[in-house]
Each structure stands twice: as structure tokens, then as C-alpha cells.
Amino acid sequence: MIRRLRRTYRRLRLGTRLALGLGALSLVVFAVVGTALTTYMRDYLSAQLNEQLTLGQLAQSKSIADHGTLQGKKYYRWYYAVYDVSAGTPRLRRPEDPADVPEDLVEFTALARAQTSSDTELLSTGHLTGKGTYRLRACEVEPGVVLVSAAPMDAIEDTVSQLITIQVVTFALALAALVVFGRKMLRRGLKPLSDMAHTAHGIASHDLTEPAARLPLRADGPGGGPEVEELRTAFNTMLEHIDDSLAERARAEQRLRRFVADASHELRTPLMSVRGYADLFQYAAANAPGERDGHLARLRAEAARMGFLLDDLLLLARLDAAEVEAPLRLAEADLVELVAQAADAFRAAHRDHPLKVSTPDRPVRLRMDAQRIRQVLDNLLTNAAVHTPAGTEVCVGAAVTDGTALVRVTDRGPGIPAADRERVFDRFYRVDKARSRDRGGSGLGLSVAGSLVRAHGGTVELTGEPGGTVFTVRLPMRAAEAPKAD
């Protein structure tokens, strides 16, 4: 039975459970208040009855002293007994009216006997056979004479019973009204929570597997107080975060699909070339030995190109998983020396592009992976040469500003359109879609450069306008003290 009640209670709505809890608490309060009020009323009426007995016996003691017995006007349903106790044993005097003494004198005699050895008046409550409960009071009228009076207590009991009945009825009505109206008020106050629950159900029924899935619902209902408003704000903020996460997931999936498609396309081209040259070699090499060296050279070139592409992809994957495997070998190196080496390699490979170098007179020593930073410089310089006409001047410079090492690669070419600047560091992205891969590369150079710089804790930025492009690499100074800027 108890388990069934518990299961039933757990299935109730929160507003109903709160109303029942409030009702139970109110019931406890009503019980405490009712008990205290009833006890106070009983004590108050008993004190009044005791005072009446005291006042009555003061007047009656004079009559007994004058006449030997109680005479005159008496209270209705009260009993009076006068005892002689001079001999040590209570002896009842003959009353003026036999109705003044009840048939059951056990309580009277016992109280009179107790009064003989007491210095003050005595009170007791006793039950008289056939009469009910009475309050008895004994006092010494004069030496050797004791008066015992008894007053009925049924009026007190009736008054207390009526008070209890009134309290039970009133408290029951108040409790019922409290539960009913309290439940309505609680349901109204909890309505914003119900609205948020409906919103959550609506979101749960929404298909979040779509690539462009967005959450169309928000908890916008007013009311509920500061606490509910705070919860509503947190709920909507959580939905915004989920929305942002879904959007980011969709963008990541789109980038992944584009990356897989581009990578497949980039790898398929050299593979097809390798297959074609292998077929030519198989069928023509025996009869044309002079042509064999050309086919083999092309095979090696395509294989090397595919190797470079795979190396770049592997490096990007390792940089993406830097928390698992550190792709850098950090050591102290001179950035000025790296710029000079990259400049010499550029002049040897791109004789049709004049190069201007600007570096500090003092070394700029950093804690870095020198091979990877050199790769960054080579990629940026090669990008400047590939995307500018022959004869275009390229500038590379190094400097130190505010504790940060700077490397700038500048060219005076046609520049990069504003619409493409945000995506030039994306993998396999090309500004000129029609440019051949033999000239334009695989589209991984800038992506690799950006990832390597970020792995060193630095940044790479693209600025420029039509007629010029500037790549700025910023690296933190982590090792020897940086030289002051010129």
C-alpha cells in the first residue's frame, strides 16, 4: 500500500506535489496552533473556576463560623461539605440541606484529610459517581473545621469540545482552500517551466541530423520571477550554444567533404599520370630506349609531387592532433639566419623575381622548430613568386616589436581579392580556380604555413590591396632576450 502511494505521488505533477506538501505543512501548523489554543482555553477556564471556588469559600467561611453550618444562597450544582477534624479524623457535619452533599463522599473526605496536614488550601479534580467530573477545593474555616466545595467541570469540557469542533471545521476548510487555490497559483507560477519543457520536447522532435540543422524554438514566455527568468536565460543561452555547435558541425562536415574531394582529386591526378607513364613505359620502352629516360623522369616527378602532397597532409594531421603527438622539435635558433637562408634559396629558384631583404643587425633568437619556420618562409616566398608576373619585386624582412618577432613577405603583384582573403589559409583553396596545378600548386602551402605558425603560438595575417600583398608572421619571444627594435 505504501509503495503504491509512493508511486502515485511520484507520478503527480510538480505543482500538485508542492500543493500537497504545502497542505501537509499547513496541517502541522494548524495542529500546533489548535493544540496551543485549546490548552490555553482549558487552562483559562480552569483558572476562572478555581477563582470562583476561592471567592465562594471566602463568603461561605463566614457563614460557617457564625452558624456552624453553611446557610444562605448556594451555587447551582455545587456541593459543600463541612468536616470537623479536631480529632484528627474528618467527621462530616450535618448539612442544612441534604442536597448540599453528594452521595459519593470519597473524594471530599480524602481532600479534607489532606487539608489537616497542609498549611494552604488544596485543589483536586475528581469524578463523583453519577455526577461527573468536579473541581474540589478544601480550606480551613477555623481551627478544627474544614470546608470542601466542589464545582462541576462539564461546562469547561463542553466549551473545549465546541472549540475543538470549530477549529477542526475551520482548519479543514482552510486547508482545502489552501490546497485548491495554492495548486492553481503554483501551476500558474510553474507555467514558464512547462513552456520550457514543451520547448525541449519540440527540440527533441526536431531532426538534428540535417547538415544545416538549426533549433527553431526558444523559451520566450514572460513571468515566473527572477529565478525562472534566470533559468529561461540559461536555457536560451544553452540553445544558442547548441545552435552554434550544430552550425560549426555543419561547417566542419562541409569542410571535411570538400577536403576529401579535393584530396582525392589532387591524389588522383599524379596517380593517373603515374599509371599513364607506366603503361607507356611498358609498351614503348623496349622499342624506344631513348624515350625510357623521359618516362622514368616523369614518373619520378609525379611520385615526388604525390609525396610532397602526402607529406603536407600528414603534417597538417599531426598539427591538428598536437595534443596527442607534438609535431615540433623546439630549440633556440636565429630568425635572421633563417630569413637569409630562405632568401638565398628563393634567389636560386626564382631568378625572374628580384628579392629585397631587410633584417636587424643583431640576431633574433627564438625557441622554435627552425626547420618548420624555414618551411613557412619558403611557402610564403614561393606563393609570392607563383602568383605574380615575372619581374615583380618580392620583399622579405624581419624585426622585433614589443617582445614579438615579425616577418613580413611583400610583393607588388596584382593582389588578392577581398572576397578570397578569408579563405586563402583553407586547405586546397586557390584564388585562381583556372590556374594549372603545375603552376599553382596543391593549395596546401598557405594552410601548412598558418598551421605551423599557430603551433608555435604565433599568428599569420594577410593584408593588402590591389597592387600589393603582405603576409605578416608574428612569433613570441621565448628564449634569449629580444634585441631592441631599431
Side-chain angles (χ1 to χ4, degrees), residues 48-66:
Q48 279 194 328
L49 184 60
N50 294 338
E51 187 176 357
Q52 288 181 356
L53 283 170
T54 301
L55 294 176
Q57 285 187 335
L58 287 177
Q60 293 163 359
S61 297
K62 188 173 185 298
S63 175
I64 295 172
D66 293 341

Side-chain angles (χ1 to χ4, degrees), residues 21-310:
L22 183 62
L25 180 61
S26 301
L27 183 62
V28 173
V29 173
F30 290 161
V32 172
V33 172
T35 301
L37 183 60
T38 302
T39 302
Y40 172 77
M41 182 59 68
R42 186 190 300 274
D43 294 342
Y44 175 75
L45 295 177
S46 296
Q48 279 194 328
L49 184 60
N50 294 338
E51 187 176 357
Q52 288 181 356
L53 283 170
T54 301
L55 294 176
Q57 285 187 335
L58 287 177
Q60 293 163 359
S61 297
K62 188 173 185 298
S63 175
I64 295 172
D66 293 341
H67 305 91
T69 59
L70 181 59
Q71 297 181 358
K73 185 178 180 181
K74 305 179 181 65
Y75 292 101
Y76 175 68
R77 294 183 58 200
W78 282 37
Y79 293 104
Y80 310 93
V82 180
Y83 286 90
D84 289 322
V85 295
S86 55
T89 301
R91 183 173 60 84
L92 180 66
R93 290 184 180 181
R94 182 181 182 85
E96 178 188 19
D97 185 354
D100 291 346
V101 180
E103 296 180 0
D104 184 5
L105 289 173
V106 175
E107 297 288 344
F108 284 75
T109 305
L111 190 61
R113 183 179 295 106
Q115 179 63 40
T116 59
S117 58
S118 176
D119 296 334
T120 60
E121 295 78 7
L122 297 180
L123 284 169
S124 69
T125 302
H127 182 77
L128 303 183
T129 304
K131 302 299 181 180
T133 303
Y134 274 70
R135 176 64 55 83
L136 288 78
R137 186 177 190 274
C139 67
E140 186 178 31
V141 177
E142 56 185 17
V145 179
V146 174
L147 170 63
V148 180
S149 302
M153 298 186 64
D154 51 358
I156 296 178
E157 298 300 329
D158 292 342
T159 302
V160 172
S161 298
Q162 292 178 5
L163 178 62
I164 293 175
T165 301
I166 293 173
Q167 288 178 349
V168 169
V169 174
T170 303
F171 289 165
L173 293 176
L175 183 62
L178 180 64
V179 171
V180 173
F181 291 105
R183 181 172 178 270
K184 290 183 178 180
M185 293 179 64
L186 288 171
R187 290 185 63 182
R188 180 178 299 180
L190 295 174
K191 188 177 184 301
L193 299 182
S194 300
D195 294 340
M196 281 186 272
H198 291 309
T199 301
H201 286 303
I203 292 172
S205 62
H206 186 66
D207 186 8
L208 300 180
T209 60
E210 300 177 359
R214 299 287 292 179
L215 302 179
L217 302 175
R218 292 292 185 273
D220 297 327
E227 294 82 2
V228 176
E229 184 64 30
E230 183 178 356
L231 177 61
R232 184 186 295 110
T233 302
F235 185 77
N236 287 334
T237 303
M238 178 191 67
L239 295 182
E240 291 294 338
H241 288 325
I242 294 175
D243 251 353
D244 295 340
S245 299
L246 291 175
E248 181 60 30
R249 186 191 70 176
R251 289 192 293 269
E253 291 178 351
Q254 185 178 3
R255 288 195 300 268
L256 178 60
R257 286 193 295 269
R258 186 170 62 246
F259 174 79
V260 171
D262 291 341
S264 301
H265 187 66
E266 293 293 338
L267 290 173
R268 182 174 57 184
T269 300
L271 285 175
M272 292 298 293
S273 299
V274 169
R275 178 189 294 180
Y277 288 126
D279 290 341
L280 288 174
F281 180 77
Q282 178 181 1
Y283 293 111
N287 297 325
E291 197 174 333
R292 178 181 59 183
D293 293 338
H295 294 330
L296 288 175
R298 292 186 178 91
L299 281 173
R300 285 193 295 269
E302 293 297 335
R305 179 184 172 190
M306 187 166 56
F308 292 147
L309 178 61
L310 290 176

